[in-house]
Amino acid sequence: ELKVEQNPLFLSMQEGKNYTIYCNYSTTSDRLYWYRQDPGKSLESLFVLLSNGAVKQEGRLMASLDTKARLSTLHITAAVHDLSATYFCAVDRGYSGGGADGLTFGKGTHLIIQP
Amino acid sequence: DTGVSQDPRHKITKRGQNVTFRCDPISEHNRLYWYRQTLGQGPEFLTYFQNEAQLEKSRLLSDRFSAERPKGSFSTLEIQRTEQGDSAMYLCASSGTSGGEETQYFGPGTRLLVL
């Protein structure tokens, strides 16, 4: 059974600081997703990582994937308050070649960025 | 197209009643997914459709749950004889198979409360 573990589950940090969220998963997969969720809202897609060594950046967020280590990271650079949210990583449960299948999500990292 | 839509957004029902939720995916997407999310947890996969075919069902989807996508467009999720444990956010997502990143785009969700 595929398991996805995120850490930390809760993170409080100050504006301007850098930090990294880690996502480990238990079985081979070459598709990893990062989503953001604001309180009471649905999920917003941030990144899709499709191969070993993939790196994507958008603004102050950068995501990377190491399929050999079964590890993805989401790095936050010079955090700002607007980035406060819950961040989820998710792994494709069984990529069949014809499109994404159901995702297995981690428990999420609740991030609070204080001024 | 404005994205995935779900109806209703909120539903309060009494234990034992039946409820039905609707999801309208992004129009060109042929894959549609249902997830359930409880407070403080990541979404859990329930089932998915490719066009009108239901290709996979999670063990979480008990006999009281049924999902349909009759014409390969909108989908419905019905819960019969609701229980208090069914209280959750029910999320729908859709994706395409255009050979791209196949991101799953999530709708706003239907929040169910069973009294």
Side-chain angles (χ1 to χ4, degrees), chain B residues 37-108:
Chain B
Q37 185 179 24
T38 54
L39 197 61
Q41 301 295 316
E44 296 172 296
F45 169 76
L46 293 178
T47 189
Y48 90 93
F49 294 82
Q50 181 169 324
N51 299 313
E52 66 276 8
Q54 187 173 17
L55 296 186
E56 188 173 1
K57 291 173 24 173
S58 163
R59 288 171 293 177
L60 294 175
L61 213 64
S62 75
D63 291 344
R64 297 185 296 105
F65 289 70
S66 63
E68 293 183 345
R69 194 182 183 196
K71 296 183 179 179
S73 56
F74 74 92
S75 176
T76 59
L77 177 68
E78 181 183 16
I79 309 174
Q80 296 182 327
R81 304 181 303 283
T82 52
E83 302 173 356
Q84 289 183 327
D86 297 331
S87 296
M89 173 81 88
Y90 289 84
L91 295 163
C92 175
S94 71
S95 69
T97 55
S98 60
E101 295 180 336
E102 292 147 14
T103 298
Q104 292 186 25
Y105 294 92
F106 282 79

Side-chain angles (χ1 to χ4, degrees), chain A residues 38-55:
Chain A
D38 292 298
K41 305 292 186 181
S42 190
L43 285 84
E44 173 190 355
S45 176
L46 295 175
F47 301 108
V48 181
L49 303 170
L50 298 177
S51 61
N52 187 41
V55 177

